Structure formats: structure tokens, C-alpha cells
Amino acid sequence: MRDYRGVSELQDASPAAPGSPAGSSPAAGPAPSGQPFVKPVIAAAAAKRANASVMGMIIALVVSIAAFLPIVLMNPSPKTDGYRPNVNVSATAQNAAGVAGFTPVAADTGDTFRANYARWESGAGSGVPAWEVGYLTPKESFIALVQTRTANPTWLLQQTKNAPVTGTRNAGGRDWELRDTGKGEKSLVLTERGTTVILSGSATLEEFSTLATAVVKSLESNPPTGAGSTTPAPTPGATVSASAATTK
């Protein structure tokens, strides 16, 4: 006779079907149709720890802001346009006169133009010692002034960025040679009283004329230098009619 007790015990130990009474193994498959899934519930201790971490981050952020806020308030943004050097062009020109061999021009433009540098350049690199002044115009453009008594064609081309002669422009009762690169940069060139003066920059022609007029007044107030300087020397390079410069 066969013994079925072992089979019966194995059947009793098999996993319970879904929906079995409490104490049986949980079902691995999805819940029956029409019955909602059971949402996991975070334990109270775990929820408390999570809230504590978030609160800690918020408190740390507030403390950081509170620490840096006084520093920001004690250092307000500057209300000025920045540092502007106080350049005394006239005094610097007088100091350079002994070395230059002539009295450098010191254009008086009132408060409309601001000089940001004034210096005597020995010409160690170019071979042409020159007086240099930089001017900021009322429209925040820039015009560089260069004056020398030893100008040569190569140096002149370098100073004017190889710009061609496009006409003349009258300023201060003198016809200045106008050279224009066509890219915004332009130059006015004048040879007067034994020196050559070049104004170069990206300013408007009106601003150039204002500064050029002041330069002529300064030249006229200075004593002539060099032999034959009472007669104005011809402006370097070719020139065209004043009407062509007017329509430029």
C-alpha cells in the first residue's frame, strides 16, 4: 500500500493563492481588477528625518544670505563713470618744450574734450620724436594728437593707417588735409610753423573740426620754431578741393 502522507504535507507547504488569509505569503502579481493598489506609507521617523533635512538647508541658506548682505550694503555700486585722470596738458607741454625744440600745442577746448594722457615720445622705435595727447570727445569717441618737427612720408602713413587723401577740411582758418580709411578711422594733417600736427580717431568730423580749431589757436600763440617757419610749409601728400571734403 502507498503512503500519501508526504504528498499531503507538501501540498500544505505550497504558497497561498492571492487573497489568502492573513499570515500567508503576499501575492507577486498585480491586484485583481477593480481593487486599488496599496500605497506605501512612510514611517513617522523617516518623514521626520526628511523634513529636518529640508529645514536645515533652508536655515543654512538664510544664514548665508544674512552673512553676506551687510558686505554688499557696505560696498554700493559706484555712481561715477570711473577713474578719470587729471591731465594738465599745458603744464606737461611746457615741461616737454626744452626737449622737443618747440612748444607743443595745448589745445584749449574748455570742458568739452577731456585729455587722458599727454607725453613726449622720444621716438626710439619710429625714429620720429613727437608730442602726443589723447582726447575723449563729448560723444565718448577718441582723437589722438601727434606733433613733430621731423615728419617723414613713412611715419605719416603709419600715423594715418595708410589712409588715402580724400579732401581738405577748413578749421581754425587753415586747410587741413583729410585722410579717411573708410572704416570709421580718419585723420586731419596740418603742417604749420615748422611742425606737423596729426589728429586721428573715430570721432565725427564736427568734433575733429572743434579740436583742430583749438589746435590752430594754440599754434598761433606759440613762437615760431625753425628757419623759415614763418611761412607755412605745404601739407604732406596731395590735396583736393575743399568742396570735395565738404561733401565727404
Side-chain angles (χ1 to χ4, degrees), residues 48-190:
K48 185 176 181 180
R49 287 194 298 270
N51 292 334
S53 299
V54 174
M55 290 301 298
M57 293 174 60
I58 296 175
I59 293 173
L61 180 61
V62 172
V63 171
S64 300
I65 295 175
F68 285 101
L69 187 59
I71 300 176
V72 175
L73 294 177
M74 286 187 296
N75 294 274
S77 300
K79 297 182 179 180
T80 63
D81 295 334
Y83 173 70
R84 294 182 178 180
N86 184 18
V87 180
N88 191 329
V89 179
S90 297
T92 308
Q94 291 296 328
N95 293 335
V99 180
F102 61 90
T103 303
V105 296
D108 184 8
T109 59
D111 297 330
T112 56
F113 289 72
R114 302 192 311 272
N116 57 2
Y117 67 82
R119 63 197 177 208
W120 174 255
E121 175 59 45
S122 64
S126 63
V128 180
W131 166 246
E132 300 179 349
V133 186
Y135 290 98
L136 296 177
T137 72
K139 296 182 179 180
E140 298 301 324
S141 295
F142 179 77
I143 300 177
L145 180 151
V146 184
Q147 182 185 20
T148 184
R149 61 184 301 183
T150 58
N152 60 66
T154 300
W155 177 85
L156 185 61
L157 288 174
Q158 292 174 345
Q159 294 298 316
T160 59
K161 296 181 174 59
N162 296 315
V165 178
T166 58
T168 60
R169 189 170 182 85
N170 188 278
R174 303 290 188 277
D175 285 334
W176 293 68
E177 182 182 79
L178 175 61
R179 299 190 176 207
D180 197 336
T181 63
K183 300 178 181 179
E185 291 283 334
K186 58 186 72 72
S187 300
L188 290 181
V189 184
L190 176 69

